[in-house]
Amino acid sequence: MRAWLAVKCFDYIPPETCAPAKVAPTGHLQVHSACGLLDADLRTPSLDYTDLINASRQLCNEPGAGRLQYRRAVFNLHAANQDDHSKNRSFLQDNAGSWQVAPFYDVTFNPHPFNKHTTAFGGYGKQPPLTRIIHGVARISRRDLFSQWIFFSRRILTDICKRKNSLWNQRSSEIRSIP
C-alpha cells in the first residue's frame, strides 16, 4: 500500500521540548482562524490582505508577521490559489498569551469559477493590478515605519515568480521524460 497523504499537526508541541509556560500540559496550542478573530465571513469575500497584514502585525506584535502574510498573499496570487478565505488563515496562541502566525495550509492550485480571490488585494478580488499591490504596501509601510517595504515587496514578487517558473520548468521536463 502506498501512502498518499501527509499530515502534520502544527497546534501540538511535545511538552518535554518546550518551556512549561508556553504550552498546556497536553502540549496543545490554541488555534484561532482569521474568520473567528476578525469576524470575517468565509463564504463571501469579506477580508482584504491589507487588513490581514495589519491584524497579523498587531496580534503577533511584530512587523515580521505582516511581511509573512504579504509573502503568502503574493504566492496565492501567482499560484492561482483563489480559495484564500478567512478560515485558511490562522494564528497560534501559547499559554503565556503570545500569538504567532500559524503555518501556511490548504495551499493548492484552486482557481475560482469566476476567477476571483476570496481575500481581496487592496479591494481587488479579480485580477488585482500589480501597481495596486505595491501601493497597498506603500500605505502599510508608512504606518509601520518600515522604510524597506517597497524594496521587500519587489524582492518577494521577483523571488516567487522565479521559483514558480523554475518549478514549472522542472516539473514539465519530468513529465516530458515519462515514457
Side-chain angles (χ1 to χ4, degrees):
M1 185 164 146
R2 292 181 63 171
W4 57 271
L5 178 66
V7 177
K8 181 179 180 187
C9 294
F10 56 80
D11 64 338
Y12 176 77
I13 300 172
E16 61 274 3
T17 65
C18 199
K22 288 287 185 182
V23 296
T26 60
H28 286 90
L29 299 168
Q30 296 299 315
V31 179
H32 300 281
S33 68
C35 178
L37 287 171
L38 303 174
D39 196 27
D41 188 355
L42 79 125
R43 288 177 175 70
T44 60
S46 59
L47 189 62
D48 195 295
Y49 277 111
T50 305
D51 299 328
L52 185 62
I53 289 167
N54 287 329
S56 299
R57 284 190 344 232
Q58 290 176 4
L59 189 63
C60 300
N61 201 23
E62 62 173 282
R67 292 190 288 263
L68 176 63
Q69 294 289 22
Y70 178 77
R71 185 175 193 86
R72 292 175 177 183
V74 172
F75 177 84
N76 282 338
L77 177 67
H78 287 281
N81 178 23
Q82 295 176 337
D83 184 35
D84 51 354
H85 56 78
S86 57
K87 277 196 111 168
N88 286 344
R89 311 288 164 257
S90 293
F91 300 90
L92 299 170
Q93 184 185 39
D94 62 22
N95 276 0
S98 298
W99 292 89
Q100 65 187 36
V101 176
F104 210 17
Y105 61 90
D106 199 9
V107 183
T108 61
F109 174 72
N110 195 343
H112 187 272
F114 302 111
N115 197 25
K116 290 184 181 180
H117 284 267
T118 311
T119 301
F121 295 83
Y124 288 85
K126 186 173 185 171
Q127 298 176 339
L130 189 57
T131 55
R132 185 69 171 162
I133 295 169
I134 300 275
H135 290 306
V137 168
R139 209 171 56 241
I140 292 168
S141 68
R142 284 193 291 274
R143 285 191 301 245
D144 199 18
L145 302 176
F146 178 58
S147 59
Q148 300 297 316
W149 258 104
I150 298 295
F151 169 75
F152 176 76
S153 67
R154 287 190 177 129
R155 191 177 75 205
I156 283 177
L157 287 164
T158 304
D159 182 48
I160 286 176
C161 289
K162 281 182 183 176
R163 287 176 188 237
K164 182 184 77 169
N165 291 340
S166 171
L167 186 60
W168 173 258
N169 290 337
Q170 177 187 349
R171 295 290 186 242
S172 62
S173 66
E174 288 172 5
I175 290 170
R176 281 192 295 260
S177 66
I178 295 174

